[in-house]
Amino acid sequence: MMSVAARSRALSPYLQASSWAVSGSLKPLVPARPAVDPAPPAFAAPLAERALLGQESLRARSARGGPAVSARLNAPAGVRFAHTDIRVPDFSDYRRNDVLDPSKPSQDSSESRKVFSYLVTGTTAVMGVYAAKTVVTQFISSMSASADVLALSKIEIKLGDIPEGKNMTFKWRGKPLFVRHRTEKEIATEAAVDLSELRDPQHDKDRVLNPSWVIVIGVCTHLGCVPIANAGEFGGYYCPCHGSHYDASGRIRKGPAPLNLEVPFYEFPDDDTVIVG
């Protein structure tokens, strides 16, 4: 149905109006005062003789005190002071059964409602923690080394290519790797060293898995230079940069280097192969 304001203007000949006054909380009901004499019934008078409805006539027919005047096509106009005819939607389907009764105190059902709230809160917290853990795990995994980089993290060396008493250098993870095939004399000499004479005390058997093979990273522990194999006063490694001398087990014996040469992780899958990394 179409509603229009009181200012009907061109539609005024087609509108019929009646008014109702509803008393408010501040004033008693004031009867509506018509502006003109009551007209005969609409069906009795011809259209030309009917009083035209406009802003002035509707205002005069309505109650005093600023009522809201409305008019509708083919329906009586109305004056409304209170929205008492508006139906309030029923929200019972969305309410809990414990609070449907308006006469029942809400404190009687507070415990059960709190349990439900705690359950929802706890479930949400667990899901949030799990989601955060997944995001962090994926973020850390994205920064880990790729498959091609991991493939270079290990190196396999054929020990049969290294003669006794010689040292070979390999590139591993961007660093030089020394693999030394020691003689029986070198093994006996390094095993007999007094640990009290060492700057970085470490027994030879703690640095090797197989006494015949010494595997160390060829980086001087002083300033990161690359020592020379089979050189120095102790027949092991010598760093010409600042004069650090290492023995055949890679232990510092003389010079400014504070620590022994680093021993990486390695294993022997068989007697002729070593895997470093």
Side-chain angles (χ1 to χ4, degrees):
M1 183 175 291
M2 178 177 178
S3 298
V4 297
R7 297 181 179 180
S8 56
R9 296 188 179 180
L11 296 176
S12 59
Y14 306 99
L15 300 179
Q16 298 176 354
S18 62
S19 62
W20 295 271
V22 182
S23 60
S25 59
L26 301 179
K27 293 183 179 181
L29 178 63
V30 179
R33 186 179 62 185
V36 297
D37 295 337
F43 61 85
L47 181 61
E49 298 178 1
R50 297 178 187 177
L52 299 180
L53 299 180
Q55 178 180 5
E56 292 78 7
S57 61
L58 285 176
R59 185 182 302 171
R61 292 174 182 269
S62 63
R64 301 297 182 178
V69 180
S70 63
R72 297 178 181 179
L73 290 175
N74 299 327
V79 179
R80 205 167 61 190
F81 284 86
H83 298 282
T84 57
D85 58 340
I86 299 178
R87 296 184 58 186
V88 178
D90 185 11
F91 297 99
S92 300
D93 295 338
Y94 305 95
R95 300 175 64 185
R96 297 178 180 176
N97 296 329
D98 297 335
V99 294
L100 288 178
D101 188 2
S103 62
K104 183 180 179 181
S106 60
Q107 294 294 334
D108 297 345
S109 60
S110 60
E111 295 298 331
S112 62
R113 290 186 285 110
K114 286 181 180 179
V115 170
F116 178 78
S117 300
Y118 293 155
L119 178 62
V120 172
T121 303
T123 304
T124 305
V126 171
M127 294 177 62
V129 171
Y130 180 79
K133 175 253 184 186
T134 303
V135 171
V136 173
T137 302
Q138 293 295 332
F139 177 73
I140 295 177
S141 299
S142 66
M143 296 188 297
S144 61
S146 58
D148 56 342
V149 175
L150 293 176
L152 298 176
S153 63
K154 293 186 178 182
I155 182 174
E156 182 176 334
I157 301 173
K158 297 296 182 181
L159 299 178
D161 299 335
I162 306 175
E164 187 177 9
K166 299 297 182 179
N167 181 91
M168 291 190 66
T169 304
F170 301 88
K171 184 178 181 180
W172 177 69
R173 296 183 181 180
K175 300 177 182 179
L177 181 69
F178 293 159
V179 180
R180 185 186 186 95
H181 190 180
R182 297 192 300 184
T183 63
E184 293 294 335
K185 180 180 179 180
E186 290 175 337
I187 295 174
T189 301
E190 301 306 330
V193 173
D194 186 4
L195 298 182
S196 61
E197 300 177 359
L198 301 177
R199 181 178 303 170
D200 184 12
Q202 194 173 17
H203 200 278
D204 179 69
K205 65 180 181 180
D206 297 331
R207 294 179 56 83
V208 295
L209 297 179
N210 186 339
S212 299
W213 299 98
V214 172
I215 301 176
V216 294
I217 296 177
V219 176
C220 181
T221 58
H222 180 219
L223 292 178
C225 303
V226 179
I228 300 174
N230 297 324
E233 298 181 8
F234 299 88
Y237 306 94
Y238 171 67
C239 180
C241 298
H242 302 92
S244 296
H245 297 260
Y246 300 88
D247 59 19
S249 184
R251 297 173 295 188
I252 182 65
R253 302 295 295 273
K254 182 179 179 180
L259 302 173
N260 303 329
L261 294 179
E262 182 182 355
V263 179
F265 174 80
Y266 62 92
E267 57 184 353
F268 295 96
D270 53 61
D271 296 338
D272 194 43
T273 306
V274 63
I275 298 178
V276 182

